Amino acid sequence: MKPKRILSIRASLAWLVMACLLPAIVITVVLLYYDYQRARVELIRDSLSTARALMHAVDREFASAEMSLRALATSPSLDKQDFSAFHAQARDMLRRHSLNNIALIDAGGQQRMNTARTYGEPLPKATSMGQLERILKSGQSDVSDLFIGPILKTPLITVGVPVHSGNTVAHSLVGVILPAHLQEILVDQGFPPDRIAVIADRAGTVVARTHDIGRFIGQTVTPVLAQRLKESDEGSFETVSLEGIPVLTVFVRSATSRWGVAIGVPVETLTADLRHSLWLLIGFATLLMAGSLGLAWILGGRIARAIRALRSPALALGYGNAVAVPELAISEADEVGKAITKASTMLVDTNEALTGSEARMRGILESAMDAIITVNDSQIIMLFNSAASVMFACPVEQAIGLSITRFIPERIHAGHHACVQQYNGRGNASGTFDAAGIAVGLRYNGEEFPVEVSYSNVVESGAPLHTLIIRDVTARVRAYAALERSNLDLQQFAYVASHDLKTPLRSIAGFIQLLERNHGAKLDEKGLALIQRTGSAVRRLEQLTEDLLSYARIDAEVKQFVPVDLAEVVRDVVHLLHAPIQTANAVLTVGEMPVVLGDRTQLAQLLMNLLGNSLKYCRDRAPEVEISAVLEEREWVFSVKDNGIGIDAKHHEKVFEVFKRLHTQNDYPGTGIGLAICRRVVEGHGGKIWVTSESGVGSTFSFTLPVFSPEASDEA
């Protein structure tokens, strides 16, 4: 039989150096690639945020122009057919707005006046007949695509609003926005020099661009981008720019104007740092490997000589002889020599020390706050301390002799066995037992909960024993998830508060100015209509502000939960919504409601939002709403079921996001915050919320709350 080859210390150290460095190098490469991917994801996210903000800015320009034109369309000069006076009013408005000029076009396409020309000069017919036809047919405002103006003879965009004469649309009032104005909005974003940003109209035509606008204005964006803008509202992909540069592109399409914004980042910019880091790593790894192997060879020789010097004293200790170990060149070997000398005097006291140690260990195990479980090589529980009994809801005597898999969810049994095989054969070892995603415990009653596990392996009499120290981290996981969502929501709130609340304020100012100028103290019917529009804008702003503040206040301060009778809360909510319920002829059914632990105000707000939505989103039928509660193990499942318009399955998660509305303000008024508040309230109470629905049939909003235990409340 060929003898087994045993490596020397020098060779072992050399292999150890390589074994340590190579994984580190591989991990570094993986981390570099991971960092690249993370940077790519962050870049896409930041670019999407920038594109959304830019798209909002463009839409605000269109909205501001539309509101100004609508206000101008109420001028009495139009009813009197006094186009000369109306021409002067339009020119006066241009001094306070970003519009280049304003034109009045009749139903036949003939321009009646244009601020770009002196009143009375001959004017050509309008060339954007498609926009005129849409306005005449729908009676709604419209934003055109880029086209060449018949008077200015330059590319431009028009925002048109209808001018009514009685119940018919007699004219279209059109405001002209030059691409240069949108170009200024694009430049004001302060993009890095290598970024390629584009504003495109509905047809995919370039209107503004950070690079070579004079070359590409009026051209169609790349076919891939044009197709993506038609298919979805936002996204990212890799393509080639109009200049032929490979770029990572993100895009956003407006839900109102259907215009689009795209931002391209050159792929070269993304990969340059990665390539540079890899070359540095290769050079550094080569130098480090050579130096480490040389040092390992020198140190290995010194260690080998010191170890050989311990051979004779070790044999003498085995025979019980007196031991005298000389000083060695290695401090650790010196310590071993002194330990061998001292060991001969300690043999007599060993048994007594072991006995005392066992008693102390038993006391530590029983007083430990964490669960401590010891199993043999067959995974049978040998030790199960009191903390483990409480954590897993299983008596100690019942747990002893069971397999440890009884307290691990079945779906991760395979991962557990793989970890056991991995640590078997290592002898004495310790570490974190978290491979294969085993971070879930299973109570004896079948309830799962997150855990943190560390392990320790020892070998006694040739048989391995495995000790697990387990900590319940449910509160930590829940707090971390709540903190993450809170931080994200607060960021969204800050963005809205600093940007989107400005547009309604501008609307109010514009309407008030026109009211003072055109009507004064003597108001006709159109003046009253203008006041109503102003009031509508004010109310919408107030509602938006109130909803935002309600959303931000949910987690603004920690409130002490108290027992809340949900039956009383439901009665209060129904009383507050009495008028909408009576108006809609709604049929409301309320089942038995339990007592839960929570904040009464927030729970009332939750039920009011859900019930209010059930009443609002119901068309062509009397609302039928059912509120119920069902006990399932350790939690209550509440449901608010209606027979409304329903929600398509692809929007079931989207409806709980801030400002994610599925309908226009004209169809169903609202701010898009109500369901986001509901989710935040439920999660703040330790539950979850979801919706099951089918479009046109109805919706069922369900949420869970923990079962209220008076004993637990008293202890808290």
Side-chain angles (χ1 to χ4, degrees), residues 632-663:
E632 294 185 0
E633 297 186 356
R634 300 171 64 89
E635 62 184 9
W636 286 98
V637 179
F638 298 86
S639 299
V640 179
K641 182 179 180 181
D642 62 52
N643 64 335
I645 62 175
I647 303 171
D648 194 285
K650 65 182 180 181
H651 298 307
H652 284 181
E653 282 296 324
K654 183 178 180 181
V655 295
F656 294 103
E657 297 177 13
V658 180
F659 300 115
K660 294 295 185 181
R661 304 192 72 241
L662 305 182
H663 307 280

Short mmCIF file of all heavy atoms in Angstrom, two decimals, residues 632-663:
data_model
loop_
_atom_site.label_atom_id
_atom_site.label_comp_id
_atom_site.label_asym_id
_atom_site.label_seq_id
_atom_site.Cartn_x
_atom_site.Cartn_y
_atom_site.Cartn_z
N GLU A 632 -58.37 33.98 12.21
CA GLU A 632 -57.54 32.92 11.64
C GLU A 632 -56.28 32.78 12.48
O GLU A 632 -55.37 33.62 12.40
CB GLU A 632 -57.17 33.24 10.19
CG GLU A 632 -58.36 33.23 9.23
CD GLU A 632 -57.94 33.43 7.78
OE1 GLU A 632 -56.71 33.57 7.54
OE2 GLU A 632 -58.83 33.44 6.90
N GLU A 633 -56.24 31.75 13.33
CA GLU A 633 -55.11 31.47 14.22
C GLU A 633 -54.79 32.68 15.11
O GLU A 633 -55.57 33.04 15.96
CB GLU A 633 -53.89 31.01 13.41
CG GLU A 633 -54.13 29.70 12.67
CD GLU A 633 -52.89 29.18 11.98
OE1 GLU A 633 -51.85 29.87 12.02
OE2 GLU A 633 -52.98 28.08 11.44
N ARG A 634 -53.67 33.37 14.82
CA ARG A 634 -53.20 34.43 15.73
C ARG A 634 -53.50 35.84 15.20
O ARG A 634 -52.88 36.82 15.65
CB ARG A 634 -51.70 34.28 15.96
CG ARG A 634 -51.31 32.96 16.60
CD ARG A 634 -49.81 32.80 16.59
NE ARG A 634 -49.15 33.80 17.40
CZ ARG A 634 -48.89 33.66 18.70
NH1 ARG A 634 -49.25 32.56 19.34
NH2 ARG A 634 -48.27 34.61 19.38
N GLU A 635 -54.40 35.97 14.22
CA GLU A 635 -54.69 37.29 13.67
C GLU A 635 -56.12 37.36 13.16
O GLU A 635 -56.73 36.34 12.83
CB GLU A 635 -53.72 37.64 12.55
CG GLU A 635 -53.80 36.71 11.35
CD GLU A 635 -52.76 37.02 10.30
OE1 GLU A 635 -51.86 37.83 10.56
OE2 GLU A 635 -52.86 36.43 9.21
N TRP A 636 -56.65 38.59 13.12
CA TRP A 636 -57.96 38.86 12.54
C TRP A 636 -57.79 39.27 11.08
O TRP A 636 -56.91 40.07 10.76
CB TRP A 636 -58.68 39.99 13.29
CG TRP A 636 -59.21 39.60 14.63
CD1 TRP A 636 -58.64 39.81 15.84
CD2 TRP A 636 -60.45 38.92 14.89
NE1 TRP A 636 -59.42 39.31 16.85
CE2 TRP A 636 -60.54 38.75 16.29
CE3 TRP A 636 -61.48 38.43 14.08
CZ2 TRP A 636 -61.63 38.12 16.89
CZ3 TRP A 636 -62.56 37.81 14.68
CH2 TRP A 636 -62.63 37.65 16.06
N VAL A 637 -58.64 38.74 10.21
CA VAL A 637 -58.64 39.13 8.80
C VAL A 637 -59.92 39.91 8.53
O VAL A 637 -61.02 39.37 8.63
CB VAL A 637 -58.55 37.90 7.86
CG1 VAL A 637 -58.58 38.36 6.41
CG2 VAL A 637 -57.28 37.11 8.14
N PHE A 638 -59.77 41.20 8.22
CA PHE A 638 -60.91 42.09 7.95
C PHE A 638 -61.07 42.25 6.44
O PHE A 638 -60.08 42.29 5.71
CB PHE A 638 -60.69 43.46 8.60
CG PHE A 638 -60.58 43.41 10.10
CD1 PHE A 638 -59.35 43.17 10.70
CD2 PHE A 638 -61.68 43.59 10.90
CE1 PHE A 638 -59.22 43.12 12.08
CE2 PHE A 638 -61.57 43.55 12.28
CZ PHE A 638 -60.35 43.31 12.87
N SER A 639 -62.31 42.38 5.98
CA SER A 639 -62.59 42.53 4.55
C SER A 639 -63.65 43.61 4.35
O SER A 639 -64.63 43.69 5.10
CB SER A 639 -63.08 41.22 3.93
OG SER A 639 -62.09 40.21 4.04
N VAL A 640 -63.41 44.46 3.32
CA VAL A 640 -64.40 45.44 2.87
C VAL A 640 -64.70 45.11 1.41
O VAL A 640 -63.89 45.35 0.52
CB VAL A 640 -63.87 46.88 3.01
CG1 VAL A 640 -64.92 47.87 2.51
CG2 VAL A 640 -63.51 47.18 4.46
N LYS A 641 -65.87 44.51 1.18
CA LYS A 641 -66.23 43.99 -0.14
C LYS A 641 -67.30 44.88 -0.77
O LYS A 641 -68.25 45.28 -0.10
CB LYS A 641 -66.75 42.56 -0.01
CG LYS A 641 -67.12 41.89 -1.33
CD LYS A 641 -67.60 40.47 -1.09
CE LYS A 641 -67.97 39.78 -2.41
NZ LYS A 641 -68.47 38.41 -2.18
N ASP A 642 -67.14 45.20 -2.10
CA ASP A 642 -68.13 46.03 -2.77
C ASP A 642 -68.45 45.45 -4.15
O ASP A 642 -67.84 44.48 -4.59
CB ASP A 642 -67.63 47.47 -2.90
CG ASP A 642 -66.35 47.59 -3.73
OD1 ASP A 642 -66.31 47.07 -4.87
OD2 ASP A 642 -65.38 48.15 -3.21
N ASN A 643 -69.41 46.06 -4.80
CA ASN A 643 -69.83 45.65 -6.16
C ASN A 643 -69.50 46.73 -7.17
O ASN A 643 -70.24 46.96 -8.11
CB ASN A 643 -71.32 45.33 -6.19
CG ASN A 643 -72.17 46.57 -5.87
OD1 ASN A 643 -71.70 47.49 -5.21
ND2 ASN A 643 -73.42 46.59 -6.31
N GLY A 644 -68.36 47.42 -6.97
CA GLY A 644 -68.01 48.57 -7.80
C GLY A 644 -67.39 48.19 -9.13
O GLY A 644 -67.57 47.08 -9.65
N ILE A 645 -66.59 49.12 -9.67
CA ILE A 645 -66.04 48.96 -11.02
C ILE A 645 -64.89 47.97 -11.06
O ILE A 645 -64.52 47.49 -12.13
CB ILE A 645 -65.57 50.31 -11.57
CG1 ILE A 645 -64.44 50.88 -10.70
CG2 ILE A 645 -66.72 51.28 -11.68
CD1 ILE A 645 -63.85 52.15 -11.25
N GLY A 646 -64.31 47.62 -9.91
CA GLY A 646 -63.24 46.63 -9.88
C GLY A 646 -61.90 47.19 -10.32
O GLY A 646 -61.78 48.32 -10.79
N ILE A 647 -60.86 46.36 -10.14
CA ILE A 647 -59.48 46.75 -10.46
C ILE A 647 -58.84 45.63 -11.23
O ILE A 647 -58.89 44.46 -10.81
CB ILE A 647 -58.67 47.04 -9.17
CG1 ILE A 647 -59.36 48.12 -8.34
CG2 ILE A 647 -57.25 47.47 -9.52
CD1 ILE A 647 -58.75 48.32 -6.97
N ASP A 648 -58.20 45.95 -12.34
CA ASP A 648 -57.48 44.94 -13.13
C ASP A 648 -56.35 44.34 -12.28
O ASP A 648 -55.71 45.05 -11.48
CB ASP A 648 -56.90 45.58 -14.40
CG ASP A 648 -56.45 44.52 -15.39
OD1 ASP A 648 -55.40 43.91 -15.15
OD2 ASP A 648 -57.15 44.31 -16.38
N ALA A 649 -56.08 43.05 -12.46
CA ALA A 649 -55.10 42.33 -11.63
C ALA A 649 -53.72 42.96 -11.69
O ALA A 649 -52.98 42.96 -10.70
CB ALA A 649 -55.03 40.86 -12.05
N LYS A 650 -53.34 43.55 -12.82
CA LYS A 650 -51.98 44.10 -12.95
C LYS A 650 -51.80 45.37 -12.11
O LYS A 650 -50.67 45.82 -11.93
CB LYS A 650 -51.67 44.39 -14.41
CG LYS A 650 -52.55 45.48 -15.03
CD LYS A 650 -52.22 45.68 -16.49
CE LYS A 650 -53.08 46.76 -17.14
NZ LYS A 650 -52.76 46.92 -18.59
N HIS A 651 -52.91 45.92 -11.60
CA HIS A 651 -52.80 47.14 -10.79
C HIS A 651 -52.99 46.87 -9.30
O HIS A 651 -53.06 47.83 -8.52
CB HIS A 651 -53.86 48.16 -11.25
CG HIS A 651 -53.69 48.60 -12.66
ND1 HIS A 651 -52.50 49.11 -13.15
CD2 HIS A 651 -54.57 48.61 -13.71
CE1 HIS A 651 -52.66 49.42 -14.42
NE2 HIS A 651 -53.89 49.12 -14.80
N HIS A 652 -53.07 45.61 -8.88
CA HIS A 652 -53.39 45.31 -7.47
C HIS A 652 -52.34 45.84 -6.51
O HIS A 652 -52.66 46.22 -5.39
CB HIS A 652 -53.56 43.80 -7.29
CG HIS A 652 -54.88 43.31 -7.82
ND1 HIS A 652 -55.27 41.99 -7.74
CD2 HIS A 652 -55.90 43.97 -8.44
CE1 HIS A 652 -56.47 41.86 -8.30
NE2 HIS A 652 -56.87 43.05 -8.73
N GLU A 653 -51.06 45.84 -6.89
CA GLU A 653 -50.02 46.38 -6.02
C GLU A 653 -49.88 47.89 -6.22
O GLU A 653 -49.57 48.63 -5.30
CB GLU A 653 -48.68 45.69 -6.31
CG GLU A 653 -48.55 44.31 -5.69
CD GLU A 653 -48.57 44.34 -4.17
OE1 GLU A 653 -48.03 45.30 -3.58
OE2 GLU A 653 -49.15 43.43 -3.57
N LYS A 654 -50.12 48.34 -7.43
CA LYS A 654 -49.91 49.74 -7.79
C LYS A 654 -50.84 50.67 -7.01
O LYS A 654 -50.48 51.81 -6.70
CB LYS A 654 -50.11 49.90 -9.29
CG LYS A 654 -49.86 51.30 -9.83
CD LYS A 654 -50.03 51.32 -11.34
CE LYS A 654 -49.79 52.70 -11.92
NZ LYS A 654 -49.97 52.72 -13.39
N VAL A 655 -52.06 50.21 -6.70
CA VAL A 655 -53.05 51.10 -6.08
C VAL A 655 -52.63 51.54 -4.68
O VAL A 655 -53.15 52.54 -4.17
CB VAL A 655 -54.44 50.42 -6.01
CG1 VAL A 655 -54.98 50.17 -7.40
CG2 VAL A 655 -54.38 49.11 -5.23
N PHE A 656 -51.69 50.81 -4.03
CA PHE A 656 -51.28 51.17 -2.68
C PHE A 656 -50.10 52.13 -2.67
O PHE A 656 -49.63 52.50 -1.60
CB PHE A 656 -50.91 49.91 -1.87
CG PHE A 656 -52.07 49.00 -1.62
CD1 PHE A 656 -52.24 47.84 -2.36
CD2 PHE A 656 -53.00 49.32 -0.65
CE1 PHE A 656 -53.31 47.00 -2.12
CE2 PHE A 656 -54.08 48.48 -0.40
CZ PHE A 656 -54.24 47.32 -1.16
N GLU A 657 -49.63 52.54 -3.84
CA GLU A 657 -48.51 53.47 -3.91
C GLU A 657 -49.02 54.90 -3.91
O GLU A 657 -50.13 55.19 -4.36
CB GLU A 657 -47.68 53.22 -5.17
CG GLU A 657 -47.05 51.85 -5.21
CD GLU A 657 -46.28 51.60 -6.49
OE1 GLU A 657 -46.04 52.57 -7.23
OE2 GLU A 657 -45.93 50.43 -6.76
N VAL A 658 -48.17 55.81 -3.41
CA VAL A 658 -48.54 57.21 -3.30
C VAL A 658 -48.72 57.81 -4.68
O VAL A 658 -47.87 57.64 -5.55
CB VAL A 658 -47.49 58.00 -2.51
CG1 VAL A 658 -47.88 59.47 -2.40
CG2 VAL A 658 -47.32 57.41 -1.13
N PHE A 659 -49.87 58.52 -4.92
CA PHE A 659 -50.20 59.22 -6.17
C PHE A 659 -50.40 58.29 -7.35
O PHE A 659 -50.40 58.74 -8.49
CB PHE A 659 -49.13 60.27 -6.51
CG PHE A 659 -48.97 61.33 -5.46
CD1 PHE A 659 -47.78 61.44 -4.77
CD2 PHE A 659 -50.01 62.19 -5.17
CE1 PHE A 659 -47.62 62.41 -3.80
CE2 PHE A 659 -49.85 63.16 -4.21
CZ PHE A 659 -48.66 63.27 -3.51
N LYS A 660 -50.55 56.99 -7.13
CA LYS A 660 -50.81 56.07 -8.25
C LYS A 660 -52.32 55.95 -8.43
O LYS A 660 -52.98 55.15 -7.77
CB LYS A 660 -50.17 54.69 -7.97
CG LYS A 660 -48.65 54.72 -7.92
CD LYS A 660 -48.06 55.09 -9.28
CE LYS A 660 -46.54 54.99 -9.25
NZ LYS A 660 -45.95 55.36 -10.53
N ARG A 661 -52.87 56.78 -9.31
CA ARG A 661 -54.30 56.77 -9.58
C ARG A 661 -54.56 56.08 -10.91
O ARG A 661 -53.80 56.24 -11.87
CB ARG A 661 -54.87 58.19 -9.62
CG ARG A 661 -54.60 58.99 -8.34
CD ARG A 661 -55.42 60.28 -8.29
NE ARG A 661 -56.83 59.98 -8.05
CZ ARG A 661 -57.79 60.28 -8.88
NH1 ARG A 661 -57.52 60.86 -10.03
NH2 ARG A 661 -59.06 59.98 -8.60
N LEU A 662 -55.66 55.34 -10.99
CA LEU A 662 -56.01 54.60 -12.20
C LEU A 662 -57.05 55.34 -13.04
O LEU A 662 -57.39 54.88 -14.12
CB LEU A 662 -56.54 53.21 -11.83
CG LEU A 662 -55.63 52.36 -10.94
CD1 LEU A 662 -56.25 51.00 -10.70
CD2 LEU A 662 -54.25 52.21 -11.57
N HIS A 663 -57.56 56.47 -12.53
CA HIS A 663 -58.61 57.21 -13.24
C HIS A 663 -58.28 58.69 -13.21
O HIS A 663 -57.53 59.17 -12.37
CB HIS A 663 -59.98 56.97 -12.58
CG HIS A 663 -60.32 55.52 -12.42
ND1 HIS A 663 -60.82 54.75 -13.45
CD2 HIS A 663 -60.20 54.70 -11.36
CE1 HIS A 663 -61.01 53.51 -13.01
NE2 HIS A 663 -60.64 53.45 -11.75
#
